[in-house]
Amino acid sequence: MVNSVSILGCTGSIGRQTIAVAEHIGMKVAALTAQRKIDLLEEQARRLKPEFVAVYDEKAAKLFKIAVADTDIKVGSGMEGLIEAATMDGTDCVVTAVSGSVGLKPTLAAIDAKKRIALANKETLVCAGEIVMKRSKETGAEIVPVDSEHSAIFQCLMGRKEGELKKILLTGSGGPFRGKARAELEDVTPEIAVKHPNWSMGAKISVDSATMMNKGLEFVEAMHLFGVTPDDIQVVIHPQSIIHSMVELIDGTVIAQMGVPDMGLPIQLALTYPERKPSMFERMDFWNMKDMTFEAPDYEKTPCLKLAMDAARTGGTAACIMSAANEVAVHAFLAHKLGYNRIYDAAAGAIDAVGVTQHPDLDTIIAADEAARHYVRETYKV
Ligand code: MG
């Protein structure tokens, strides 16, 4: 178990839940970082009294520094500030809850500094899975996933010997538009798309859940995190989100992890691992449980899922390009500047336009990410 934590992206959904868990289990919060929501950040910082706070946006950082001038809190800004929060002496564990590829550099820096990574940023493994996993093996920095599916798989594999795993069964609810054809979704608005049936999440990931790009990104992540090939992962649609994912072992046994759909649970485990502590979350109620059903994904209706699975097979920078293009497209959709179905078009188009490089280094990854963003901005004028 770790004693202190830096929370990167503390004003977002995962960040706020991490703070609640840290307060519940009495874990010291060493550092906080936020992009620009300084009002909430100030409230959090005054309550938690971290040593260090970084604000990514330079202008907001200046305002924040003035706001907390009466405290001992050290304030940083930009990427440098995020990296300091991720590597400082006073922290054992870094929760990477920032959204987007901005999480990449601080996560790698934290791995080099041998911190535990409570991984909640998808882009880190999607874009740089090969590099991240290699470096964590070299430095011995633990990566404990926070995403509910990967936490479930991680828990199902706890104590297993290498070679016992046959395949990963990655479950997904299918999102709010399960069963709907692409043509029916042409006029979907952000307000409708962000309403997930089971989970309460940030806007970007809610849209990704609706398009099922989220499941696709999780597919790529699972491949890297658990060192398996795309053929070893099967996506299973389980609309009730009671099972959070499963593993099939070589003898045919299937182990599933269940729990109430609350991100606080995997967050807490990432902080207390390998120990467990009593939690403040609701318990499962088997007498009032809905049916558990399972179905195969319909790839025609979820082209983003198919695109991501194909990108996982292509390897190299394919998934990074797709993810970066998706990120720009989703933000444009949320701002009412791009139609819902154009999200897939943008992500697929970017892979073709940018072109894939195999075994990229970090600079190549960052360049591919930039090129994908540029492609979407130019092509769709967003
Ligand atoms: Mg998930």
Side-chain angles (χ1 to χ4, degrees):
M1 191 174 153
V2 294
N3 295 312
S4 55
V5 62
S6 289
I7 306 171
L8 273 49
C10 64
T11 57
S13 173
I14 296 288
R16 282 179 277 128
Q17 293 177 77
T18 304
I19 289 175
V21 168
E23 289 186 299
H24 176 76
I25 61 174
M27 183 169 287
K28 183 176 175 269
V29 175
L32 295 171
T33 85
Q35 194 179 8
R36 65 167 67 86
K37 276 191 200 145
I38 56 170
D39 290 344
L40 175 57
L41 181 62
E42 184 183 345
E43 200 183 298
Q44 292 172 335
R46 287 191 183 274
R47 193 170 76 242
L48 299 162
K49 300 183 175 54
E51 279 168 53
F52 180 69
V53 173
V55 185
Y56 187 64
D57 181 273
E58 302 282 351
K59 265 192 209 151
K62 279 188 189 126
L63 293 172
F64 183 77
K65 203 167 180 178
I66 297 165
V68 296
D70 61 317
T71 70
D72 298 333
I73 300 167
K74 207 181 136 204
V75 179
S77 66
M79 182 53 72
E80 216 173 286
L82 263 56
I83 290 174
E84 182 167 348
T87 56
M88 57 190 259
D89 285 342
T91 194
D92 302 328
C93 174
V94 180
V95 180
T96 58
V98 292
S99 169
S101 54
V102 68
L104 192 52
K105 281 184 182 172
T107 307
L108 282 168
I111 289 172
D112 289 344
K114 299 185 173 58
K115 309 294 186 191
R116 173 182 297 175
I117 311 295
L119 188 72
N121 170 268
K122 288 211 158 75
E123 287 75 6
T124 301
L125 285 181
V126 168
C127 291
E130 264 178 50
I131 298 175
V132 168
M133 296 314 292
K134 187 170 170 274
R135 278 214 210 163
S136 80
K137 275 197 188 88
E138 283 164 5
T139 65
E142 293 171 309
I143 300 181
V144 184
V146 165
D147 204 347
S148 63
E149 292 80 0
H150 304 88
S151 176
I153 298 160
F154 184 83
Q155 292 180 64
C156 292
L157 291 173
M158 271 165 80
R160 303 256 82 79
K161 288 197 186 95
E162 201 155 324
E164 286 184 357
L165 176 67
K166 175 71 181 168
K167 73 177 169 196
I168 286 171
L169 299 155
L170 179 68
T171 58
S173 70
F177 304 139
R178 184 170 54 94
K180 289 239 185 338
R182 185 171 150 93
E184 294 176 74
L185 300 171
E186 196 57 42
D187 300 323
V188 161
T189 62
E191 291 72 24
I192 297 168
V194 297
K195 284 202 183 105
H196 195 276
N198 303 334
W199 296 92
S200 147
M201 303 176 291
K204 197 277 180 173
I205 188 172
S206 294
V207 175
D208 285 344
S209 296
T211 61
M212 287 203 74
M213 177 61 89
N214 183 54
K215 204 51 53 189
L217 296 171
E218 290 178 355
F219 185 97
V220 181
E221 278 188 286
M223 180 179 82
H224 291 296
L225 195 53
F226 302 108
V228 298
T229 70
D231 292 334
D232 302 326
I233 310 171
Q234 186 180 334
V235 175
V236 178
I237 303 301
H238 168 44
Q240 299 82 12
S241 301
I242 295 167
I243 291 174
H244 299 321
S245 275
M246 306 176 265
V247 299
E248 184 188 312
L249 304 179
I250 45 174
D251 62 358
T253 290
V254 172
I255 300 181
Q257 189 266 345
M258 295 189 240
V260 292
D262 191 319
M263 286 307 296
L265 273 165
I267 291 170
Q268 177 163 316
L269 183 70
L271 300 183
T272 65
Y273 171 81
E275 290 172 35
R276 290 189 188 261
K277 292 218 165 215
S279 82
M280 59 186 167
F281 305 107
E282 223 184 283
R283 301 293 148 143
M284 288 192 69
D285 176 1
F286 284 89
W287 305 154
N288 289 302
M289 194 190 274
K290 289 177 272 181
D291 290 338
M292 285 205 276
T293 59
F294 304 94
E295 53 196 73
D298 180 337
Y299 295 114
E300 279 208 1
K301 290 175 178 160
T302 55
C304 286
L305 172 60
K306 179 73 170 49
L307 183 70
M309 290 169 73
D310 289 344
R313 286 198 170 82
T314 304
T317 50
C320 177
I321 295 166
M322 175 197 73
S323 168
N326 176 67
E327 195 180 319
V328 175
V330 169
H331 285 295
F333 167 69
L334 285 168
H336 297 267
K337 289 179 185 163
L338 193 71
Y340 180 79
N341 284 339
R342 301 292 83 70
I343 297 172
Y344 165 79
D345 299 341
I351 299 176
D352 292 336
V354 176
V356 176
T357 308
Q358 292 296 337
H359 305 295
D361 59 16
L362 196 56
D363 288 341
T364 309
I365 290 167
I366 290 165
D369 177 288
E370 274 303 317
R373 287 166 200 274
H374 181 77
Y375 164 82
V376 179
R377 289 190 194 109
E378 287 298 306
T379 308
Y380 297 93
K381 307 289 173 223
V382 292

